[in-house]
């Protein structure tokens, strides 16, 4: 199919409008004025419309000419962005980098990393997602993300690299004033059976789902994220283990209270994980900087000098 409107014609039209004359546009485009006039005349002939009103002393765009210019500038911008993306990809930088954050973590430290990354590579589009338990590994293996922050356990398949961030401490928490707070510590597992357990549902789509910190409660309430689990337990809807670094404010405000059980939950190791076959410069940058970060069980990930 023959294109009636070419990028060259749009660039010429754009230059004429910005420079307010054919001669000035020719100078900007490094052409002779006759070449600029020919390009516009040819475009008008191909479209069968007049783009300039030549009845006046100074040629001005017609309504249709203005329409072609305004829409054409969107095309020119898209063309420029496509050219930049191609050059970026050829240089090894990803056009898009997908980062999965395990629900047990907060995004605040990652936002700081993204801000630093944008200073050196603003053209790479960052896409964040949240997964739970096996969902993080599932997203990486299934190709839905390039990098996982906070992956639990070992890689369920070969070909993936990992770097440990540290251990998450989980504490058994109940709403302030909950009946369990009246019992002597440590609380036996049998005492919990009268209360629902709040559980974060595994978000895996393909890998076998799993659960962590299950309690022998009479009923269970499934929620989609740690944030929802915290809210549900603050309202007294159920009990369960929560990551210590995520409930500092709720404890200080008395919305939650920590209790000790006769069988405490051990800390959980979390890691950064990525495919060894992924050689993108953006991924490499994030991995290098995440290796300079450590996890504090009370405050979360702390950034080091970038």
């Amino acid at each position: 199919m023959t294109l009636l409107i070419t990028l060259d014609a749009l660039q010429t039209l754009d230059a004429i409008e910005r420079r307010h004359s054919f001669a000035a546009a020719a100078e900007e485009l490094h052409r002779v004025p006759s070449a600029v006039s020919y390009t516009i005349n040819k475009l008008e002939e191909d479209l069968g419309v007049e783009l300039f009103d030549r009845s006046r002393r100074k040629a001005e765009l017609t309504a249709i000419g203005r329409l072609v210019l305004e829409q054409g500038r969107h095309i020119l911008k898209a063309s420029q962005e496509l050219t930049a993306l191609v050059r970026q990809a050829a240089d090894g930088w990803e056009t898009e980098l997908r980062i999965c954050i395990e629900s047990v973590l907060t995004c605040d430290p990652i936002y700081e990393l993204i801000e630093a990354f944008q200073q050196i590579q603003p053209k790479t589009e960052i896409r964040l997602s949240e997964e739970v338990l096996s969902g993080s590994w599932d997203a990486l293996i299934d190709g839905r993300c390039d990098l996982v922050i906070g992956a639990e356990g070992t890689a369920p398949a070969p070909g993936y690299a990992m770097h440990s961030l540290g251990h998450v401490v989980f504490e058994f928490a109940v709403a302030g004033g909950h009946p369990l707070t009246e019992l002597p510590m440590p609380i036996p597992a049998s005492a919990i059976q009268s209360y629902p357990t709040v559980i974060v549902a595994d978000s895996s789509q393909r890998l076998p789902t799993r659960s962590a910190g299950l309690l022998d409660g009479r009923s269970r309430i499934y929620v989609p994220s740690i944030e929802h689990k915290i809210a549900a337990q603050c309202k007294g809807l159920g009990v369960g283990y929560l990551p210590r670094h995520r409930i500092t404010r709720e404890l200080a405000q008395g919305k939650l209270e920590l209790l000790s059980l006769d069988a405490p939950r051990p800390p959980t190791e979390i890691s950064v994980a990525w495919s060894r076959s992924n050689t993108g410069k953006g991924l490499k940058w994030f991995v290098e900087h995440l290796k300079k970060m450590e996890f504090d069980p009370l405050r979360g990930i702390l950034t080091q000098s970038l």
Side-chain angles (χ1 to χ4, degrees):
M1 182 178 67
T2 302
L3 295 178
L4 299 181
I5 304 178
T6 64
L7 290 177
D8 178 66
L10 292 176
Q11 288 174 330
T12 302
L13 188 63
D14 174 67
I16 294 172
E17 197 276 338
R18 285 187 294 98
R19 299 299 295 274
H20 307 296
S21 75
F22 280 58
E27 180 181 357
E28 178 182 310
L29 297 172
H30 305 291
R31 301 176 184 175
V32 296
S34 59
V36 170
S37 296
Y38 173 80
T39 299
I40 296 302
N41 291 336
K42 181 68 166 56
L43 180 59
E44 290 178 322
E45 180 181 339
D46 290 341
L47 294 177
V49 297
E50 289 187 352
L51 301 177
F52 285 92
D53 182 358
R54 296 176 176 80
S55 65
R56 303 181 182 182
R57 179 178 179 182
K58 180 181 179 182
E60 295 183 0
L61 286 169
T62 62
I64 294 179
R66 177 64 60 181
L67 173 65
V68 173
L69 175 64
E70 291 176 352
Q71 297 302 314
R73 281 175 170 167
H74 293 303
I75 297 174
L76 289 174
K77 182 179 180 180
S79 176
Q80 293 167 355
E81 291 178 348
L82 176 58
T83 300
L85 287 176
V86 170
R87 291 174 177 171
Q88 174 180 316
D91 194 36
W93 291 100
E94 302 91 331
T95 57
E96 178 184 74
L97 187 63
R98 300 161 302 170
I99 301 174
C100 169
I101 302 175
E102 221 290 339
S103 181
V104 74
L105 300 177
T106 62
C107 288
D108 292 343
I110 311 307
Y111 291 150
E112 295 178 9
L113 271 185
I114 293 174
E115 183 179 9
F117 179 73
Q118 288 178 323
Q119 299 301 314
I120 63 169
Q121 189 56 34
K123 293 296 184 180
T124 295
E125 184 177 280
I126 303 295
R127 187 178 297 273
L128 296 180
S129 62
E130 182 181 38
E131 299 286 350
V132 179
L133 295 174
S134 296
S136 298
W137 284 113
D138 185 84
L140 185 61
I141 293 174
D142 200 35
R144 300 195 306 274
C145 73
D146 304 298
L147 176 68
V148 172
I149 302 176
E152 296 184 11
T154 58
Y160 296 92
M162 297 176 62
H163 171 75
S164 177
L165 289 173
H167 292 77
V168 178
V169 172
F170 287 87
E171 302 274 12
F172 183 72
V174 298
H178 192 279
L180 285 176
T181 61
E182 303 297 327
L183 300 181
M185 305 296 163
I187 297 176
S190 58
I192 302 171
Q193 295 179 359
S194 300
Y195 305 98
T197 301
V198 183
I199 301 170
V200 182
D202 193 310
S203 62
S204 177
Q205 298 179 19
R206 299 179 185 274
L207 294 177
T209 60
R210 63 188 181 89
S211 298
L214 284 181
L215 298 169
D216 190 17
R218 185 170 56 186
S219 62
R220 296 173 181 175
I221 301 173
Y222 285 89
V223 294
S225 68
I226 289 292
E227 183 177 356
H228 286 83
K229 179 173 167 65
I230 294 172
Q233 291 187 213
C234 282
K235 290 182 177 295
L237 299 181
V239 300
Y241 286 101
L242 290 171
R244 183 64 176 79
H245 71 281
R246 293 289 300 269
I247 57 175
T248 302
R249 181 180 59 186
E250 288 78 8
L251 291 172
Q253 295 173 345
K255 294 181 178 180
L256 289 174
E257 292 187 44
L258 300 183
L259 304 180
S260 61
L261 302 184
D262 56 4
R265 177 179 171 180
T268 299
E269 184 176 15
I270 57 172
S271 304
V272 180
W274 66 97
S275 172
R276 294 184 186 277
S277 62
N278 190 329
T279 59
K281 288 185 177 180
L283 173 66
K284 181 180 179 181
W285 186 96
F286 272 93
V287 169
E288 289 178 348
H289 284 73
L290 283 165
K291 286 182 176 180
K292 300 176 184 178
M293 303 172 74
E294 61 182 7
F295 186 84
D296 184 305
L298 296 181
R299 293 180 290 175
I301 291 179
L302 300 179
T303 57
Q304 303 298 305
S305 58
L306 300 179

